[in-house]
Amino acid sequence: MGFTLPPRMNNSAPADHVRSLMARKDALEDQLETQLEILQSHSVTMDTPLVDAEGFPRADIDIWAVRHARVRIIELRNDLKALMDKIMVALQDVYDPSTVSREQPPATSASSTSGASLEPFARVDGVAPGSPAASAGLLREDLILSFGPLDKSSFPTSSSLQPLAELVAAQENNEVVIEVLRSNDQRTRLTFIPRRGWGGRGLLGCHLVPYIA
């Protein structure tokens, strides 16, 4: 997806595991695209009838090729969904504050991850109309308290939102729950579904910038 996971602390094994899973994800997506192109070349979809009005196999398409492509598409979509669940877990292992705390001296591991102690790490600088962000109810100037498993502790560099970009890429077409803080000190939980094809750039359709109090 064009993102690069930085090594975390002195142990890069979790990040290497995520890179491996992301490479497998890219390979599955390439295979899926190939099978979808087969359907497109025959001007059919997953639901297009393969028989004519009299119930005979259509003579204008390669029935075997279309059926085989449909089966592979179903298999690949299932494999991709299962793999994205694994990526989500692996990303949490990389950026989960509880994992970080086990690697840090005790003096730096006292922060709580409860909702009451969450601090903003990003600010919404803009939301595109009709985007997944707009559909989720995100507003300009919202402050991001949590994004899936990520919170402020997940960002070793306050000027970079790289972990969030990785998570969004891994969760394409899957729900991500976030918590935001609004100007009236109201905490709100929203649900995103990162996706392409909504009519604009990116998977979310919003511009996030690092927040420094």
Side-chain angles (χ1 to χ4, degrees):
M1 306 299 294
F3 299 111
T4 302
L5 272 172
R8 178 172 57 81
M9 306 300 291
N10 296 322
N11 179 13
S12 63
D16 288 341
H17 180 52
V18 173
R19 291 190 185 94
S20 175
L21 293 176
M22 293 291 283
R24 287 170 56 191
K25 174 178 176 289
D26 291 342
L28 285 176
E29 288 177 334
D30 288 342
Q31 294 178 50
L32 181 59
E33 183 64 26
T34 298
Q35 298 303 319
L36 289 171
E37 288 175 354
I38 292 175
L39 296 188
Q40 292 173 1
S41 70
H42 289 82
S43 299
V44 300
T45 67
M46 293 291 289
D47 302 315
T48 303
L50 302 183
V51 296
D52 59 24
E54 298 179 353
F56 293 100
R58 291 175 53 179
D60 59 325
I61 59 176
D62 186 335
I63 300 293
W64 184 89
V66 170
R67 284 178 174 169
H68 181 267
R70 284 177 172 179
V71 170
R72 284 297 294 145
I73 287 171
I74 293 173
E75 293 174 344
L76 289 167
R77 283 176 174 171
N78 289 337
D79 290 346
L80 189 58
K81 184 179 184 304
L83 182 60
M84 293 179 86
D85 290 341
K86 291 181 179 180
I87 291 174
M88 182 67 173
V89 173
L91 281 170
Q92 188 167 357
D93 187 40
V94 174
Y95 295 112
D96 187 347
S98 64
T99 305
V100 174
S101 67
R102 291 196 297 269
E103 299 177 356
Q104 293 178 330
T108 63
S109 61
S111 62
S112 170
T113 58
S114 65
S117 65
L118 290 175
E119 297 181 11
F121 61 84
R123 178 177 61 83
V124 181
D125 195 42
V127 178
S131 66
S135 298
L138 195 68
L139 303 176
R140 190 172 185 273
E141 300 301 332
D142 277 351
L143 300 180
I144 309 299
L145 297 172
S146 67
F147 201 106
L150 307 179
D151 63 15
K152 187 174 182 179
S153 303
S154 307
F155 299 84
T157 303
S158 60
S159 61
S160 172
L161 297 178
Q162 184 67 25
L164 191 151
E166 292 287 351
L167 178 65
V168 170
Q171 287 299 102
E172 183 177 353
N173 297 320
N174 289 276
E175 289 188 351
V176 179
V177 177
I178 75 168
E179 185 172 355
V180 302
L181 179 66
R182 295 192 161 153
S183 56
N184 57 358
D185 290 331
Q186 174 189 1
R187 291 173 180 260
T188 303
R189 292 173 67 86
L190 306 172
T191 300
F192 278 94
I193 302 181
R195 61 182 175 85
R196 303 175 189 275
W198 57 269
R201 298 178 58 186
L203 298 177
L204 295 180
C206 63
H207 185 220
L208 303 178
V209 296
Y211 176 80
I212 300 176

